[in-house]
């Protein structure tokens, strides 16, 4: 602990000298238009032909391969909107991919698409992205994260118009959708175009090798000055809902969410009697693990500002179940970000939880901050955890090196419990060059974090990894990924042996979308410090995938064999997508694992009928069963079949109809109707 404290102190003292490590970047005045362009895909408006800033040239991102298709782009603004237009030439339209029609789907990023990247804070430490594919389907990522109700998150416009030899796209992004400091006059703006048949996008401006990753490119984003942004109106967005269920588990519920701009950069969110049902949950896999698996949380309340909260070992939001009310404050102002959450539940499961996370960025790569979690439940001891952390980063040629230090202390009923000091050095370079990480960590046996997902307590030691990854624009191989990881831990309590293991994997994907990978993991592990048994684990596996560049017809096979926890292990899996017709698609997967005498099977089948960009019918079958008492099956054995109708609108009421319960382990005879409308 003392060494961690002194390293944190040294980092905090060094922070002031790091503010100058941001690289040079170009600055341009943003043209103001008196007549806004009509967002219809037609680029004959005066805003584009006379007033706009013309992007001078596109460059290959991530490699030096020549540009195969010409792209033109234009930027301008008025007092309410940021406008962008693209003219995308395509001499081989038969090779284009335009599949996704659902607004907000992440699959848009896999189609032929354009992206407008906006650093509204002008901090060069984060950005929001707005993507449009060649069908006109929109998707976005708002810095910090947000829920998927369009009016709640904020709407924007886009339109596509084809022409002989390509298509044009127009976008209008309201400044009110972005979060910017009070009195802002400048923002960072970058443009990208991606062809599905090419591995690396083209973008403007030209990014040097040190910034050619999606994590670092924003450091070089051009600055546009002279913006006239509106003063954000301090008006709440109210999202009431009515929910009624009939059948097995009849119930009714009325609640609401409220979002309020506390300032131009901070947002408050209040949830009263929230409904945490989701139409489709992520499902944990059945592959053997000594620890609980991490599964993403898709519940809308937790999606808002999720990037501003502590790491999962302190706050894993799936630990919070049904609540009476919850409130959060999230936001980022320049280099400073804040996430605060309070959740309350009454009754037999009474609980009060408080979470805070603060970060202060310095320069391009450095930051410091703290996290704290307090959780109190009826009949159980109260627990707290606090973490202080700092990163010191430095660029050297085409590499970026970051030293991270953190110290975590936990308490139970105000009595100090275990700690978790950690030191890590990591380095990343451009595509094709090695990235590496080496760390030392101690996690005490009595480390207490009931709101977190904590793995392998009672250990201390080192871990390291090295890898190479690249997207290739020439030859039959489209991409490759090579990883090597090693761990060596002793018991924190007495220094006895805990585990040593090594894992290695190689994965490659051809330009035609065929993926092939092999992997090995082996080592020794003493799971119980009181017993002499040391497991000698080893497992070799492989995977084969096809149609990896297609949305609806991807498929794959996987196989793994060896020994784990003193027992023989065999597992295999298969998945396949099918486009039944243009609006109707199926995705099925089956996996099976044999561990000693225990056998576990899991089947997933999902069908989606896309009625429009905002309406869809879907159905899902989740079946899991097995023999013995497999820790990976447990109480979730059973079969659940449910159907859903979802309707999302740009201004009216969102409607969800559920036949069954997507959150249950087994099929339930329930009909649920949920209506919500943002006010």
């Amino acid at each position: 602990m003392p060494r961690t404290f002194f390293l944190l102190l040294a980092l905090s003292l060094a922070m002031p000298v790091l503010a100058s490590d941001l690289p040079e970047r170009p600055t341009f005045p943003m043209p103001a238009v008196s007549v806004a362009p009509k967002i219809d895909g037609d680029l004959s408006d005066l805003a584009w032909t006379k007033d706009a800033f013309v992007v001078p040239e596109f460059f290959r991102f991530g490699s030096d391969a020549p540009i195969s298709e010409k792209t033109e782009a234009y930027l301008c603004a008025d007092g309410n909107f940021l406008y962008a237009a693209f003219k995308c030439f395509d001499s081989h339209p038969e090779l284009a991919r335009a599949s996704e029609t659902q607004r907000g789907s992440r699959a848009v990023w896999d189609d032929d698409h354009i992206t407008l990247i906006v650093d509204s804070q002008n901090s060069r430490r984060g950005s929001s992205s707005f993507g449009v594919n060649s069908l006109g389907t929109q998707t976005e990522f708002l810095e910090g994260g947000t829920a998927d109700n369009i009016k709640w998150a904020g709407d924007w416009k886009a339109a596509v118009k084809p022409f002989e030899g390509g298509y044009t796209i127009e976008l209008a992004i309201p400044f009110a959708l972005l979060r910017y400091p009070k009195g802002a006059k400048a923002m960072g703006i970058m443009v990208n175009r991606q062809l599905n048949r090419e591995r690396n996008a083209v973008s403007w401006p030209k990014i040097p090798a040190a910034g050619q990753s999606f994590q670092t490119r924003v450091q070089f984003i051009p600055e546009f000055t002279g913006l006239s942004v509106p003063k954000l109106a301090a008006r709440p967005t109210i999202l009431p809902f009515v929910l009624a269920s009939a059948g097995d588990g009849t119930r009714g519920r009325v609640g609401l969410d409220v979002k309020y701009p506390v300032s131009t950069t901070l947002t408050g969110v209040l949830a009263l009697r929230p409904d945490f049902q989701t139409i489709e949950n992520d499902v944990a896999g059945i592959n053997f693990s000594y620890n609980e698996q991490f599964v993403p949380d898709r519940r809308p309340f937790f999606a808002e500002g999720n990037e501003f909260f502590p790491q999962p070992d302190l706050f894993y939001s799936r630990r919070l179940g049904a609540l009476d009310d919850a409130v959060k404050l999230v936001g980022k102002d320049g280099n400073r970000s804040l996430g605060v959450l309070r959740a309350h539940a009454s009754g037999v499961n009474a609980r009060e939880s408080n979470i805070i996370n603060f970060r202060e960025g310095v320069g391009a790569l450095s930051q410091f901050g703290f996290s704290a979690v307090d959780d109190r439940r009826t009949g159980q001891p109260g627990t707290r955890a606090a973490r202080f952390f700092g990163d010191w980063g430095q660029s050297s040629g085409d590499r970026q090196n970051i030293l991270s230090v953190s110290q975590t202390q936990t308490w139970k009923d105000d009595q100090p419990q275990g700690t978790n000091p950690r030191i890590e050095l990591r380095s990343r370079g451009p595509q094709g060059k090695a990235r590496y990480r080496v760390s030392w960590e101690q996690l005490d046996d009595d480390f207490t974090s009931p709101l977190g997902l904590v793995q392998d307590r009672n250990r201390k030691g080192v871990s390291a990894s090295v890898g190479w990854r690249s997207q290739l624009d020439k030859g039959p191989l489209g991409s490759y990924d090579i990883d090597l990881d090693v761990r060596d831990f002793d018991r924190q309590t007495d220094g006895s042996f805990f585990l040593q293991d090594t894992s290695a994997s190689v994965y490659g994907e051809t330009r035609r979308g065929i993926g092939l990978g092999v992997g090995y993991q082996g080592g020794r592990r003493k799971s119980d410090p009181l017993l002499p048994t040391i497991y000698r684990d080893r497992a070799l596996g492989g995977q084969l995938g096809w149609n990896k560049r297609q949305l609806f017809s991807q498929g794959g096979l996987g196989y793994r064999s060896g020994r784990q926890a003193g027992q023989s292990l065999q597992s295999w899996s298969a998945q396949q997508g099918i486009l039944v017709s243009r609006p109707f698609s199926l995705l099925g997967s089956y996996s099976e694992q044999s561990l000693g005498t225990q056998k576990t099977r899991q089947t997933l089948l999902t069908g989606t009928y896309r009625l429009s960009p905002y309406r869809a019918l879907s159905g899902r079958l989740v079946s899991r069963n097995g023999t013995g008492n497999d820790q990976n099956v447990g109480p979730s054995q059973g079969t659940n079949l449910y159907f859903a109708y979802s309707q999302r609108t740009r201004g009216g009421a969102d409607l969800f109809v559920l036949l069954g319960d997507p959150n249950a382990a087994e099929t339930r005879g329930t009909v649920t109707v949920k209506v919500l409308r943002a006010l």
Side-chain angles (χ1 to χ4, degrees):
M1 181 173 175
R3 76 181 83 177
T4 310
F5 172 79
F6 286 116
L7 275 169
L8 279 169
L9 178 62
L11 285 176
S12 64
L13 293 175
M15 288 297 175
V17 303
L18 300 175
S20 61
D21 70 343
L22 283 165
E24 297 267 341
R25 63 166 174 172
T27 298
F28 305 95
M30 175 62 76
V33 294
S34 55
V35 179
K38 184 178 181 182
I39 306 303
D40 56 4
D42 186 344
L43 304 191
S44 63
D45 302 85
L46 288 177
W48 307 125
T49 60
K50 181 181 178 182
D51 299 329
F53 172 85
V54 180
V55 170
E57 185 180 5
F58 277 76
F59 302 89
R60 182 69 67 185
F61 182 85
S63 80
D64 57 0
I67 305 292
S68 61
E69 302 290 351
K70 182 181 177 182
T71 308
E72 299 174 359
Y74 309 87
L75 299 167
C76 59
D78 58 21
N80 294 300
F81 289 87
L82 172 64
Y83 302 101
F86 294 78
K87 189 171 185 179
C88 303
F89 295 86
D90 193 346
S91 57
H92 293 283
E94 74 281 2
L95 300 178
R97 169 175 150 175
S99 301
E100 186 54 86
T101 60
Q102 289 290 292
R103 166 75 185 261
S105 170
R106 294 295 179 258
V108 170
W109 305 117
D110 295 323
D111 281 340
D112 288 24
H113 70 275
I114 60 88
T115 308
L116 177 68
I117 302 161
V118 183
D119 174 16
S120 60
Q121 301 277 336
N122 204 29
S123 66
R124 299 156 74 180
R125 297 183 67 90
S127 62
S128 297
S129 299
F130 303 88
V132 185
N133 70 5
S134 55
L135 295 175
T137 309
Q138 300 170 226
T139 193
E140 69 278 332
F141 169 77
L142 299 180
E143 187 175 4
T146 189
D148 60 2
N149 178 270
I150 296 173
K151 191 169 182 180
W152 174 272
D155 200 5
W156 54 285
K157 298 179 181 179
V160 171
K161 185 176 182 179
F163 66 88
E164 186 68 29
Y167 54 92
T168 56
I169 299 179
E170 286 181 289
L171 297 83
I173 312 297
F175 285 115
L177 180 59
L178 305 168
R179 286 287 176 257
Y180 46 83
K182 186 177 181 180
K185 299 294 183 184
M187 294 183 182
I189 301 173
M190 184 183 297
V191 290
N192 275 18
R193 180 189 178 188
Q194 177 74 62
L195 297 175
N196 173 266
R197 60 184 180 268
E198 296 180 346
R199 293 306 174 121
N200 290 298
V202 295
S203 66
W204 176 83
K206 184 177 178 63
I207 304 295
Q212 289 194 355
S213 74
F214 288 104
Q215 296 87 357
T216 58
R217 62 181 178 176
V218 73
Q219 297 170 21
F220 300 88
I221 194 169
E223 180 184 46
F224 280 84
T225 60
L227 293 172
S228 177
V229 297
K231 181 180 179 180
L232 291 179
R235 291 196 301 266
T237 300
I238 303 174
L239 192 66
F241 73 86
V242 177
L243 180 147
S245 294
D248 180 13
T250 301
R251 67 190 181 106
R253 192 178 184 93
V254 177
L256 61 84
D257 293 326
V258 181
K259 181 164 71 170
Y260 183 80
V262 177
S263 70
T264 56
T265 54
L266 285 176
T267 301
V269 183
L270 171 67
L272 295 176
R273 295 178 56 81
D275 171 58
F276 283 157
Q277 277 198 127
T278 57
I279 288 181
E280 184 172 304
N281 270 327
D282 282 328
V283 179
I286 63 171
N287 288 335
F288 174 83
S289 174
Y290 285 103
N291 296 289
E292 178 186 357
Q293 298 181 45
F294 174 85
V295 181
D297 191 345
R298 296 186 180 275
R299 295 177 294 178
F301 175 79
F302 295 105
E304 186 74 31
N306 64 81
E307 288 192 336
F308 299 136
F309 283 94
Q311 294 297 311
D313 63 330
L314 290 188
F315 178 50
Y316 180 46
S317 60
R318 279 178 169 262
R319 296 278 189 252
L320 293 176
L323 300 173
D324 294 324
D325 57 80
V327 63
K328 66 198 305 185
L329 180 67
V330 293
K332 176 171 176 266
D333 188 349
N335 292 333
R336 183 175 298 128
S337 69
L338 177 69
V340 181
L341 186 149
R342 176 193 175 278
H344 168 258
S346 58
V348 294
N349 296 315
R351 183 175 202 168
E352 184 170 311
S353 304
N354 297 281
I355 300 98
I356 185 171
N357 191 64
F358 170 83
R359 286 196 301 263
E360 177 76 29
V362 182
L365 302 170
S366 305
Q367 67 172 355
F368 63 93
F370 70 89
S371 306
V373 176
D374 181 87
D375 186 51
R376 301 183 184 276
R377 287 182 280 179
T378 299
Q380 299 189 30
T383 60
R384 286 182 290 139
R387 169 174 295 160
F388 292 88
F389 57 86
D391 294 348
W392 180 77
Q394 185 183 51
S395 294
S396 176
D398 62 0
R399 301 198 69 81
Q400 295 185 334
N401 307 304
I402 300 175
L403 174 67
S404 298
V405 183
S406 67
Q407 171 64 31
T408 310
Q409 174 70 58
T410 64
W411 293 264
K412 182 182 291 185
D413 277 345
D414 299 324
Q415 296 299 313
Q417 299 292 300
T419 64
N420 176 213
R422 180 181 174 85
I423 304 172
E424 179 178 274
L425 176 65
R426 57 188 182 273
S427 177
R428 61 193 179 205
Q431 291 196 88
K433 291 196 174 182
R435 64 186 186 277
Y436 63 82
R437 174 197 59 82
V438 59
S439 66
W440 173 89
E441 181 178 13
Q442 176 176 305
L443 185 64
D444 292 349
D445 189 34
D446 57 347
F447 183 86
T448 303
S449 183
L451 277 181
L453 178 58
V454 184
Q455 299 182 335
D456 285 333
R457 288 181 175 86
N458 192 10
R459 60 179 166 87
K460 62 178 179 180
V462 298
S463 63
S465 65
V466 62
W468 294 263
R469 179 180 302 160
S470 190
Q471 305 261 79
L472 305 174
D473 292 308
K474 301 176 182 177
L477 186 63
S479 64
Y480 66 83
D481 196 341
I482 304 171
D483 284 289
L484 174 66
D485 295 89
V486 296
R487 297 187 299 170
D488 189 345
F489 290 111
D490 293 328
R491 291 289 177 187
Q492 174 269 328
T493 48
D494 59 9
S496 62
F497 172 79
F498 179 23
L499 72 88
Q500 292 176 338
D501 65 18
T502 301
S503 62
S505 64
V506 179
Y507 179 81
E509 190 174 305
T510 71
R511 199 162 305 284
R512 295 180 177 273
I514 302 296
L516 180 64
V518 293
Y520 170 81
Q521 182 175 10
R524 302 181 301 140
R525 184 185 185 103
K526 188 177 182 182
S527 291
D528 191 333
L530 301 180
L531 297 176
T533 304
I534 295 180
Y535 295 131
R536 299 184 181 275
D537 295 339
R538 61 185 183 277
L540 179 66
Q543 56 179 308
L544 171 66
W546 50 85
N547 297 334
K548 302 294 288 184
R549 309 289 287 178
Q550 302 299 320
L551 175 60
F552 299 114
S553 57
Q554 295 186 32
L557 293 170
Y559 180 76
R560 192 164 177 249
S561 180
R563 292 188 65 81
Q564 296 286 336
Q567 304 176 80
S568 61
L569 169 74
Q570 280 194 333
S571 66
W572 69 276
S573 62
Q575 63 176 3
Q576 180 62 58
I578 301 172
L579 181 61
V580 180
S581 63
R582 173 48 59 179
F584 180 48
S585 61
L586 292 172
L587 177 62
S589 68
Y590 175 82
S591 52
E592 181 176 301
Q593 176 180 271
S594 296
L595 182 64
T597 60
Q598 302 169 0
K599 180 171 287 189
T600 310
R601 304 179 185 89
Q602 179 169 282
T603 303
L604 302 176
L605 179 62
T606 303
T608 303
Y609 193 95
R610 292 163 168 81
L611 299 168
S612 77
Y614 306 98
R615 296 183 300 128
L617 288 168
S618 61
R620 199 175 203 203
L621 172 73
V622 181
S623 179
R624 182 180 286 192
N625 56 74
T627 59
N629 187 28
D630 190 332
Q631 60 174 315
N632 293 292
V633 181
S636 62
Q637 294 191 62
T639 299
N640 186 19
L641 175 64
Y642 61 88
F643 299 91
Y645 168 78
S646 61
Q647 171 185 291
R648 295 179 171 89
T649 67
R650 305 185 80 149
D654 285 5
L655 172 65
F656 302 93
V657 180
L658 301 175
L659 304 180
D661 184 354
N663 302 276
E666 296 183 336
T667 302
R668 298 183 61 186
T670 304
V671 179
T672 302
V673 178
K674 181 179 180 181
V675 181
L676 50 88
R677 182 186 181 108
L679 305 175

